[in-house]
């Protein structure tokens, strides 16, 4: 079922990104320069895309910890699996926190879904829709990771305790299923990063 969900979600994100590319190429008003819009002033130094680079590093790192959690799940290493799931959730929460900071900064600077001070009006609606939809996916993933980590820690998957997201006794399939979702979210961010922030 997760593969079917991810396929349907691929179509949704694909439609959003294709719409963004269409709007970006068809508008006659100059599109805002991402290097300027997403720059930060740190100790008086103008640093373009520094926050976005850190966000990307955090999310890609979380993919590594998720892969290690799946590996530990296969080996039925309950403690390490739970710890790695929590670390992955913390990295995801860090990403969402940085995204909230980015949104706050842009809103403070006058970016709205119906316009912005730097050029094409469609920039605001495209930015908030695409990054907001992705951020919602990451937030849901963080909640799901914490639920699964708690169940792993309690030993629900070792003894097959009944409940939500519990598989047959001795099976850690849910960790792999959670990993599929998390890797998908990370992969989508790579496309958003390339098309929205670098183009």
């Amino acid at each position: 079922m997760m593969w079917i969900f991810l396929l349907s979600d691929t179509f949704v994100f694909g439609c959003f990104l294709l719409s963004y590319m269409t709007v970006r190429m068809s508008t006659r008003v100059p599109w805002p320069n991402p290097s300027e819009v997403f720059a930060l002033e740190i100790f008086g130094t103008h640093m373009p895309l520094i926050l976005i680079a850190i966000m990307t590093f955090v999310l890609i790192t979380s993919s590594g910890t998720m892969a290690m959690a799946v590996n530990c799940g296969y080996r039925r290493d309950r403690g390490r699996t739970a710890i790695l799931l929590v670390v992955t959730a913390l990295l995801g929460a860090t990403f969402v926190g940085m995204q909230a900071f980015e949104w706050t900064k842009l809103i403070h600077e006058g970016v709205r879904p119906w316009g912005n001070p730097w050029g094409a009006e469609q920039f605001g609606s495209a930015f908030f829709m695409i990054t907001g939809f992705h951020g919602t996916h990451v937030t849901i993933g963080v909640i799901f990771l914490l639920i699964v980590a708690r169940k792993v820690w309690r030993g629900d998957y070792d003894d097959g305790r009944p409940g939500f997201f519990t598989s047959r006794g001795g099976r850690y399939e849910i960790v792999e299923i959670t990993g599929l979702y998390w890797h998908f979210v990370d992969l989508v961010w790579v496309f958003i990063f390339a098309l929205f922030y670098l183009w």
Side-chain angles (χ1 to χ4, degrees), residues 91-110:
L91 289 168
T94 302
F95 174 88
V96 172
M98 287 189 285
Q99 193 169 54
F101 172 79
E102 175 190 35
W103 274 44
T104 304
K105 173 185 174 290
L106 291 179
I107 289 169
H108 180 71
E109 292 172 350

Side-chain angles (χ1 to χ4, degrees), residues 34-50:
S35 295
E36 295 301 319
V37 174
F38 301 108
L40 290 178
E41 290 287 332
I42 301 176
F43 302 116
T45 305
H46 185 75
M47 305 196 68
L49 299 176
I50 185 69

Side-chain angles (χ1 to χ4, degrees), residues 23-187:
V23 167
R24 171 93 190 254
M25 291 186 292
S26 63
T27 184
R28 295 177 182 269
V29 181
W31 198 261
N33 181 356
S35 295
E36 295 301 319
V37 174
F38 301 108
L40 290 178
E41 290 287 332
I42 301 176
F43 302 116
T45 305
H46 185 75
M47 305 196 68
L49 299 176
I50 185 69
L51 179 65
I52 311 308
I54 295 170
M55 288 168 64
T56 303
F57 175 77
V58 167
L59 206 57
I60 298 301
T61 302
S62 75
S63 239
T65 58
M66 187 70 237
M68 289 190 288
V70 171
N71 187 295
C72 290
Y74 278 133
R75 291 187 277 118
R76 296 183 187 177
D77 187 341
R78 198 171 86 193
R80 286 185 181 164
T81 303
I83 289 168
L84 287 166
L85 287 171
V86 170
V87 169
T88 305
L90 289 174
L91 289 168
T94 302
F95 174 88
V96 172
M98 287 189 285
Q99 193 169 54
F101 172 79
E102 175 190 35
W103 274 44
T104 304
K105 173 185 174 290
L106 291 179
I107 289 169
H108 180 71
E109 292 172 350
V111 179
R112 301 289 185 271
W114 53 85
N116 71 85
W118 301 296
E121 292 184 353
Q122 299 94 329
F123 172 82
S125 58
F127 171 77
F128 289 121
M129 180 185 66
I130 293 171
T131 60
F133 193 61
H134 179 265
T136 303
H137 277 71
V138 176
T139 304
I140 291 168
V142 167
I143 294 167
F144 195 49
L145 283 164
L146 292 174
I147 291 170
V148 173
R150 181 172 183 266
K151 287 181 160 291
V152 168
W153 187 258
R154 288 191 323 186
D156 290 9
Y157 303 122
D158 291 319
D159 54 23
R161 185 180 301 174
F164 289 110
F165 311 123
T166 304
S167 56
R168 293 164 292 177
R171 300 296 182 98
Y172 281 72
E173 293 128 340
I174 194 69
V175 177
E176 184 177 8
I177 291 168
T178 307
L180 287 174
Y181 176 84
W182 195 256
H183 293 313
F184 171 78
V185 168
D186 290 357
L187 180 62

